[in-house]
Amino acid sequence: MPKFSFMTDGIWVVDTDPSDEYPIYTRGNIGEVFPEVIAPLSWTLGVVPGAEPGWRDALVEYGAFDPEEYGDEAAVFIGCFGGYGYLNVSLYRVLAVRTPGLTPELMDQALFGTSDAPPYRARPDDEDPAKTARVEQMIGKILTTEDLPELRDDLAEVERIVAERPDMTTLSSEQLLARARENMGVFRRLFARHLLMSTAVTVPIGIIQGVCNEIGDPTLPMTLVAGLGGVDSAAPSWAMWDLGRLVASTPALSSEFDKGVDGLLDRLRGTAEAGDFLAAFDRFLVDFGSRGPNEWEMRAPTWGTHPELALAAIDRMRLSPDSAAPERHNHERAEERHALVAAIGEKLAGAPEVQGQFLAACRAAAVYLPGRERSKTTIIKLVHEARLLFTELGRRMVEAGWFTKVEDFGMLTDQEWDEFLVTPEKFVDAIRERDALHERLQGLEPPFIVDGKVPPIEEWRPRGSAAVAVAGAGDVLAGIPGCPGQYTGRARVVLDPEDPTALEPGDILVAPITDPAWTPLFVAAGAVVVDVGAQISHAVIVARELGIPCVVSVTEGTRRIPDGATITVDGTTGTVTVL
């Protein structure tokens, strides 16, 4: 792979140039997993050596590309512009052209959601019969795969790394840095697996969508991929529900939760009746401590580093009635799916080839959608191990006076850390300058699409400053169906998962993004509306497991939908109606 270099005149320290050959990029999809400005450490320890080459490896294995097609440019699939992550639209459109049954437009919708990207511009080499033949072979493999044991092996490998976690206080700073780098050495292979899963899942969903279009009901696909079971990203919500039931049934615990989340853990440790809850919560943190908002970002808090984030979600769940149990909703969605698969299969009996492909696609979706979430969970656990090591380094540097806060560890690139440990005084000013610029960039709205050239920062508008028309009674906002079902209730606009206190049981959660920090709030909600997202966003997959009607890609929904308004969410048609 070509040596990765950064723009000398970039806005952010790790900014890259857009690709000359594949120039169109989007914030779609990546804006859900990297919603904020990416820290230099996260980019240089994870994205540069792992994600970018892993992406290339995956699509070569898929059959759609040859390695030499990526050219000499080091940053092709993933770009960093003004500190924000971007995904390459142009390359995925080529992938669509080389995949039977897909089009660039369908690929855009599946991966990126609604977009104002310029239309597909065909190039002479985009169509390639040899590569299409290779992709056809891969599609055949996908449609006949019944199990993915390699994902269990990957998870076991990372869980061994977690189990071998040393007492970090006994390691030297140099040993902490070396261990973080050693652990992240498997990131590229794991990321390639994740991208292969993510690409593979577009195959059965595309087939299902095509069949439903042909039989005259394009709203059916989301029902056909709901209630699958075995989705790792849903597991924390189920565990939180059990913890919430324990709180709801124990007056002493409820009393402490009623006082608020701040200081709650300390109060519980002094409460005689809290023993069972604390033991279960400690197990929860062992199992799911790597999850949280912006969990790919090493500087970001997780449930393990900031347990109050998990307690805030449990606090909302404990107020819900027993009828909101996710197991019940999951069972209902599973029954609907089984019945619909059987009904459509019977309807296609006169076209056995189409019927066979449809049924195979339904089986494959049940393998690859959970598989995609399993591969992501494995990587997140790995990233968390690096986060913990650097958190210990950050703590030491605060004590020594070199950092103003623990999270400053992320303001250094991986390559700068060696010199920093020798002469930290050389980096003090740079860290403070980067921290200030990071805060400034956080207040700006990055362009959703970049087509060959990144607009100068002077043209970026302040976040949330664009004029939008607030929806009124009778207005219908269109999005993308996330999870089927219809629900009417009170809209609650929540902008930060760290403070969900305004959300009452049965309210409709209106959120800006979808990541694992938000998904536990789905359980307490009657329905969910999200500004961004696409059909295979991982949190949408979780919504289908929890059985919560969901609509994503409702542009500026958090600003257009009045907080407190009564709305109807139709997760089948992908609409939100203000009443």
Side-chain angles (χ1 to χ4, degrees):
M1 178 177 171
K3 181 177 174 59
F4 209 104
S5 60
F6 303 114
M7 296 176 64
T8 57
D9 58 348
I11 300 169
W12 188 231
V13 61
V14 291
D15 272 1
T16 59
D17 287 305
S19 168
D20 292 329
E21 190 169 359
Y22 306 104
I24 304 175
Y25 291 78
T26 180
R27 282 285 291 154
N29 191 281
I30 197 172
E32 302 166 41
V33 295
F34 271 123
E36 300 179 353
V37 175
I38 301 173
L41 179 65
S42 298
W43 188 262
T44 55
L45 188 62
V47 177
V48 170
E52 173 72 31
W55 222 304
R56 299 175 181 220
D57 296 344
L59 293 190
V60 168
E61 182 177 353
Y62 191 76
F65 290 91
D66 289 327
E68 58 270 18
E69 285 188 88
Y70 302 130
D72 296 330
E73 298 172 306
V76 179
F77 277 99
I78 309 176
C80 185
F81 312 138
Y84 288 91
Y86 283 79
L87 295 186
N88 195 295
V89 175
S90 301
L91 275 163
Y92 265 91
R93 288 173 171 178
V94 176
L95 169 64
V97 169
R98 294 175 181 177
T99 301
L102 272 182
T103 65
E105 293 73 25
L106 286 174
M107 183 66 79
D108 280 5
Q109 186 180 41
L111 292 179
F112 311 124
T114 57
S115 170
D116 56 356
Y120 166 64
R121 301 187 288 260
R123 306 176 316 150
D125 296 332
D126 285 358
E127 293 191 26
D128 189 316
K131 295 184 180 68
T132 295
R134 295 200 314 236
V135 171
E136 285 179 329
Q137 288 184 320
M138 177 58 74
I139 290 173
K141 178 181 177 181
I142 292 167
L143 293 178
T144 55
T145 294
E146 297 181 358
D147 190 21
L148 297 167
E150 62 270 28
L151 298 186
R152 292 192 292 275
D153 294 341
D154 289 345
L155 182 60
E157 179 181 10
V158 171
E159 287 183 336
R160 281 195 296 272
I161 293 174
V162 174
E164 294 168 0
R165 182 192 303 162
D167 179 352
M168 297 180 190
T169 62
T170 66
L171 301 183
S172 69
S173 295
E174 290 76 13
Q175 287 173 323
L176 289 169
L177 178 60
R179 186 172 183 85
R181 288 171 171 168
E182 179 184 1
N183 288 349
M184 290 295 286
V186 300
F187 187 96
R188 173 176 177 170
R189 173 166 51 81
L190 297 179
F191 196 84
R193 186 96 72 193
H194 175 56
L195 261 295
L196 188 61
M197 295 296 107
S198 298
T199 306
V201 80
T202 64
V203 171
I205 286 185
I207 292 172
I208 291 169
Q209 184 71 64
V211 170
C212 292
N213 290 345
E214 286 297 316
I215 65 175
D217 194 342
T219 68
L220 296 178
M222 295 305 99
T223 302
L224 291 165
V225 292
L228 297 173
V231 174
D232 283 2
S233 295
S237 298
W238 292 57
M240 283 180 171
W241 174 262
D242 291 339
L243 287 165
R245 292 303 89 191
L246 184 56
V247 173
S249 63
T250 310
L253 293 179
S254 296
S255 176
E256 294 302 329
F257 271 80
D258 287 341
K259 297 174 186 177
V261 173
D262 287 346
L264 174 59
L265 202 53
D266 290 337
R267 296 198 304 272
L268 290 175
R269 296 198 188 284
T271 303
E273 296 90 341
D276 289 344
F277 176 86
L278 289 172
F281 188 65
D282 285 343
R283 287 195 299 272
F284 173 87
L285 294 180
V286 169
D287 293 336
F288 306 112
S290 59
R291 310 314 297 249
N294 198 11
E295 59 194 9
W296 292 85
E297 170 57 68
M298 291 186 188
R299 295 176 78 242
T302 64
W303 296 334
T305 62
H306 294 69
E308 62 274 12
L309 299 179
L311 290 171
I314 294 169
D315 178 55
R316 296 299 88 192
M317 287 192 196
R318 60 137 180 156
L319 301 174
S320 299
D322 290 342
S323 60
E327 183 176 4
R328 173 182 174 181
H329 291 299
N330 176 270
H331 181 69
E332 291 171 352
R333 290 290 180 262
E335 286 189 333
E336 290 175 3
R337 174 171 54 85
H338 288 306
L340 185 57
V341 169
I344 294 177
E346 185 177 346
K347 185 179 292 188
L348 297 172
E353 185 174 344
V354 176
Q355 181 193 53
Q357 191 176 54
F358 169 76
L359 295 176
C362 291
R363 290 192 296 269
V367 172
Y368 280 94
L369 276 167
R372 180 176 186 261
E373 296 307 296
R374 167 60 56 86
S375 64
K376 180 179 185 292
T377 296
T378 299
I379 297 172
I380 293 305
K381 285 178 177 283
L382 182 73
V383 170
H384 188 56
E385 290 306 296
R387 177 185 292 111
L388 294 176
L389 291 159
F390 277 104
T391 296
E392 172 60 22
L393 278 168
R395 184 191 62 77
R396 295 180 187 185
M397 297 310 150
V398 170
E399 287 185 356
W402 302 119
F403 289 171
T404 58
K405 56 184 179 301
V406 170
E407 292 78 14
D408 283 347
F409 68 76
M411 288 300 156
L412 294 167
T413 68
D414 177 41
Q415 295 75 16
E416 289 172 334
W417 261 97
D418 294 294
E419 187 177 357
F420 172 80
L421 289 180
V422 178
T423 54
E425 64 275 7
K426 292 174 58 176
F427 293 87
V428 171
D429 289 342
I431 291 171
R432 290 174 181 168
E433 289 170 4
R434 290 173 187 176
D435 196 49
L437 178 57
H438 185 276
E439 185 175 354
R440 179 189 175 198
L441 292 171
Q442 288 281 79
L444 299 178
E445 189 74 46
F448 193 77
I449 296 293
V450 167
D451 187 1
K453 184 178 180 181
V454 182
I457 193 171
E458 292 76 18
E459 296 180 9
W460 294 26
R461 62 174 181 254
R463 189 175 296 276
S465 64
V468 298
V470 177
D475 287 343
V476 179
L477 309 184
I480 292 176
C483 179
Q486 189 177 96
Y487 184 85
T488 298
R490 179 178 63 176
R492 277 297 180 221
V493 177
V494 180
L495 301 179
D496 189 342
E498 297 183 30
D499 183 20
T501 53
L503 186 70
E504 297 293 335
D507 284 347
I508 295 174
L509 173 64
V510 183
I513 63 169
T514 55
D515 71 15
W518 293 91
T519 51
L521 304 184
F522 290 15
V523 177
V528 178
V529 179
V530 188
D531 287 359
V532 298
Q535 290 176 341
I536 60 170
S537 298
H538 65 83
V540 170
I541 296 172
V542 174
R544 296 176 198 144
E545 288 303 290
L546 300 178
I548 307 298
C550 176
V551 178
V552 299
S553 204
V554 181
T555 305
E556 299 282 7
T558 50
R559 298 181 65 205
R560 297 189 64 196
I561 298 172
D563 185 54
T566 300
I567 64 175
T568 295
V569 177
D570 192 328
T572 305
T573 61
T575 59
V576 179
T577 304
V578 180
L579 302 179

